[in-house]
């Protein structure tokens, strides 16, 4: 008999709606396949089939268009490998704690999306001059705790981001149709932005002449720096430069000798250029080895550091990523009331026995 | 199309060895079936088949015996429904933090074990007068970080606990053969004690005339009250009186109106008699409703409390269980260096919007 092995599972944060984390500490691949792709929902899953699916592009366009899935798949395609990171990733690490899903470090995933640039689709509809934003609405909807009406999940993009050639309407993930729970049949993918922008189960695309005021645009996914008022609030957009130590685990007990420390680093702007590691609480830093040094935009970098340790005791290990836009992880997170965009230097403790 | 649902998963703490938590917040059953039964291992799974399985009882017995599985299954059986709780359950809640697996609240499970009282088996071997303890050794073995040799997982019991009629050699869990990862074909079940005593994959049972000095008896599963020395250390044995709030989740956002608060409470000694709930940080307590008021020994009690809340704001919710041996959950946990037996009053925060 062969010894049975073990596999990691998604970490369950909630069931209704389904919110589950990628077991990021136990995965080493640069592509996260469906079973390990974190799930983040605001509402129950929509009842939706591809049978009669059409995508309308409406509002301030020259001529409204209704695309079939076949229309879209027949257009020139674009394939992008990208990190998707929930803006609440690492929310659990804020001090003082903030309310909401207590995501640890696994509300992040990476894979390859194939679709059509939104810009390509818009060649058919045109955009009127008055258009200021584009609203992407999903088929998912439901009640919110803070409001009385029923709302669909909907988000807007400014035109420059919507027309960026890497903003795509995707129909495949890792070479297969998008899994239903991740947005089948069509999902918007906005590489470089936190994943609230990458609307699932797209229902319609609408051009408007004003700032979109839906609750997922103006209440949620907003940084509120103050606990008791909404002053100085500003919207959540691009992914912050960040890193996560995957191995060892926090509070793990290690042997003396050689221990390989591994992790990932990512950013929403430019490329990761360095990942430093510190064993003295940030006094001094040494570079880790980047696995894919000439890493592509939007993708995480795997890094490793071979740590030779002879002295028993407790150690604090920190990692700090920097990107080509000169952004560096801060020592202290930017606390905000809803707990978005945590990207402080990653810190774990280990004991060497 | 019906809307797809969601199911919880075990929460992965480690893969080698496999350590995964029961998703206790998302289960409401009084019996936890295999897929949701937490897994706790010290070593890789043993390579073991039932084909040539025999159980030897040796050492200070009148006559050593070798039992086949058939022998054991033909003896008078005993069925016990019991909580199994890892002594490291809730370790993650200790402050200061302790090293080791960072179990949250799900290293606990409950189910029905069928087997033969160890006492019944011993009628065949007899026990010699010099015998002081019985050592139960599992088929699992491997290296430890703190020692140079290879060790099997082995634990001893004092004779009075070993001969208690509820201490059984189990061969079924919830009406089926024990799942391999939980000890197939035979597992010791010591109801009322933390689960390190319930040795899996039993290899042999040996009576000795001294205190067993194996590392899982004298290094691990020992309460060390001091961070820097081993003074005042004493062994981990019985389960402490305890409770866990399953719903709502910590840091959850709720609506005003009626919210049902639910959870479980359990103890290793006697029965749960009360579970109190407090909304003012422990100043005042009201009783929750116990679902199975005349609860059987060894089993958890499900409790609930209907909370009508009109005022928006942040709330701290605490629960405190008491048992028939007059034990009550303390406000402050008993900190110990290896992080065993956490049973402070369960505390969560919620926000009402």
């Amino acid at each position: 008999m062969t010894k049975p092995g073990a596999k990691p599972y998604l970490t369950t944060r909630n069931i209704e709606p389904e919110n589950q984390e990628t077991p990021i500490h136990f995965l080493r691949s640069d592509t996260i396949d469906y079973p390990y792709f974190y799930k983040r929902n605001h509402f129950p899953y929509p009842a939706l089939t591809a049978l009669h699916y059409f995508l309308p592009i409406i509002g301030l366009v020259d001529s409204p268009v209704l695309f079939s899935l076949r229309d879209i798949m027949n257009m020139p395609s674009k394939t992008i490998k990208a990190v998707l990171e929930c803006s609440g990733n690492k929310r659990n690490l804020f001090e003082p704690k903030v309310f909401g899903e207590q995501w640890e470090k696994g509300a992040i995933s990476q894979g390859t999306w194939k679709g059509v640039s939104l810009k390509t689709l818009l060649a058919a509809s045109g955009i009127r001059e008055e258009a200021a934003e584009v609203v992407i609405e999903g088929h998912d909807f439901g009640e919110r705790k803070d409001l009385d009406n029923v709302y669909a999940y909907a988000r807007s993009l400014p035109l420059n981001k919507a027309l960026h050639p890497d903003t795509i309407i995707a129909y495949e993930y890792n070479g297969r149709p998008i899994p239903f729970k991740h947005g089948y049949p069509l999902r918007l993918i906005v590489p470089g932005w936190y994943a609230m922008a990458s609307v699932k189960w797209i229902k319609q695309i609408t051009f408007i002449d004003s700032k979109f005021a839906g609750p997922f645009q103006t209440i949620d996914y907003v940084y509120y720096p103050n606990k008791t008022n909404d002053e100085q609030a500003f919207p959540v957009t691009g992914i912050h430069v960040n890193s996560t130590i995957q191995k060892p685990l926090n509070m793990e007990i290690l042997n003396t000798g050689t221990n390989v420390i591994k992790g990932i680093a990512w950013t929403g702007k430019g490329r990761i250029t360095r990942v430093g590691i510190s064993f003295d609480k940030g006094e001094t830093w040494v570079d880790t080895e980047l696995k894919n040094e000439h890493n592509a935009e939007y993708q995480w970098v795997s890094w490793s550091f071979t740590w030779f340790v002879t002295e028993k005791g407790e150690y604090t290990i920190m990692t700090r990523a920097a990107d080509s836009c000169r952004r560096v992880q801060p020592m202290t997170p930017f606390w905000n009331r809803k707990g978005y965009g945590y990207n402080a230097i990653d810190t774990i403790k280990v004991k060497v026995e």
Side-chain angles (χ1 to χ4, degrees), chain A:
Chain A
M1 179 184 171
T2 53
K3 292 185 190 183
K7 59 172 193 179
Y9 296 97
L10 295 174
T11 299
T12 307
R13 296 279 161 234
N14 215 337
I15 288 298
E16 293 173 343
E18 183 174 17
N19 286 320
Q20 311 216 49
E21 289 196 36
T22 295
I24 193 72
H25 293 92
F26 305 104
L27 303 177
R28 296 284 176 273
S29 168
D30 279 342
T31 302
I32 304 300
D33 278 328
Y34 169 65
Y36 292 135
F37 189 163
Y38 76 94
K39 295 172 186 158
R40 200 285 181 248
N41 291 283
H42 300 82
F43 298 121
Y45 289 105
L48 176 68
T49 69
L51 197 57
H52 303 290
Y53 185 87
F54 285 91
L55 173 63
I57 299 191
I58 55 178
L60 299 172
V61 290
D62 297 326
S63 54
V65 195
L66 203 58
F67 289 105
S68 71
L69 282 179
R70 183 167 297 273
D71 293 337
I72 290 174
M73 289 183 196
N74 282 339
M75 296 173 117
S77 71
K78 177 121 195 174
T79 298
I80 289 176
K81 189 168 179 180
V83 164
L84 276 196
E85 183 187 11
C86 175
S87 57
N89 191 29
K90 303 191 181 187
R91 175 179 291 135
N92 178 262
L93 302 181
F94 279 107
E95 287 295 342
K97 296 254 177 252
V98 297
F99 291 89
E101 298 294 359
Q102 294 301 297
W103 299 110
E104 296 184 4
K105 300 178 186 177
I108 184 170
S109 205
Q110 177 165 273
T112 301
W113 300 90
K114 181 179 173 184
V116 176
S117 295
L118 179 52
K119 185 178 183 165
T120 305
L121 285 189
L122 297 178
S125 69
I127 309 174
R128 280 169 42 192
E129 220 167 77
E130 317 91 271
E133 288 196 341
V134 54
V135 178
I136 299 91
E137 182 180 333
H139 272 280
D140 48 331
F141 66 93
E143 292 181 352
R144 287 176 58 98
K145 284 173 182 149
D146 54 350
L147 299 173
D148 286 333
N149 281 330
V150 162
Y151 291 87
Y153 186 76
R155 291 271 316 170
S156 74
L157 284 177
L159 289 195
N160 65 338
K161 192 67 184 173
L163 297 176
H164 190 291
D166 294 340
T167 296
I168 63 172
I169 304 289
Y171 49 79
E172 279 187 12
Y173 181 68
N174 290 347
R176 307 189 57 176
I178 297 175
F180 181 81
K181 291 188 170 184
H182 296 286
Y184 178 86
L186 293 182
R187 178 175 191 168
L188 182 70
I189 296 295
V190 186
W193 278 35
Y194 282 114
M196 76 280 150
S198 294
V199 177
K200 298 191 279 276
W201 311 291
I202 305 176
K203 186 179 178 187
Q204 61 182 25
I205 295 176
T206 313
F207 283 83
I208 60 174
D209 63 1
S210 56
K211 288 247 173 210
F212 179 56
F216 297 99
Q217 193 83 21
T218 57
I219 299 176
D220 296 336
Y221 304 115
V222 172
Y223 293 109
Y224 299 99
N226 301 310
K227 187 171 167 63
T228 51
N229 65 58
D230 293 356
E231 283 167 26
Q232 296 169 297
F234 61 100
V236 175
T237 56
I239 293 175
H240 295 153
V241 63
N242 216 331
S243 64
T244 287
I245 301 167
Q246 293 172 292
K247 182 180 183 291
L249 299 168
N250 190 28
M251 303 310 283
E252 190 167 333
I253 298 168
L254 304 176
N255 275 326
T256 53
T258 298
N259 287 285
V260 179
I261 303 171
K262 292 184 181 204
I264 54 174
W266 66 98
T267 181
K269 219 167 142 184
R271 292 165 178 76
I272 292 293
T273 49
R274 294 174 86 163
V275 180
I277 191 166
S278 171
F279 298 89
D280 57 8
K281 299 188 177 167
E283 290 284 307
T284 60
W285 296 88
V286 282
D287 281 342
T288 65
E289 189 179 339
L290 304 190
K291 188 175 149 196
N292 29 359
E293 200 172 347
H294 302 286
N295 59 91
E297 208 178 354
Y298 311 131
Q299 294 178 34
W300 69 43
V301 175
S302 291
W303 54 262
S304 67
F305 182 82
T306 302
W307 184 38
F308 186 70
V309 55
T310 53
E311 199 172 330
K312 295 179 181 186
E314 297 181 14
Y315 292 86
T316 298
I317 305 175
M318 293 178 160
T319 59
R320 184 178 68 180
D323 69 20
S324 55
C325 298
R326 295 172 161 275
R327 307 192 307 171
V328 181
Q329 285 183 263
M331 189 62 91
T332 307
F334 166 60
W335 189 94
N336 59 97
R337 196 172 74 227
K338 292 210 171 198
Y340 299 121
Y342 186 102
N343 80 323
I345 284 169
D346 202 41
T347 303
I348 65 167
K349 285 188 183 177
V350 298
K351 185 177 185 180
V352 176
E353 279 193 351

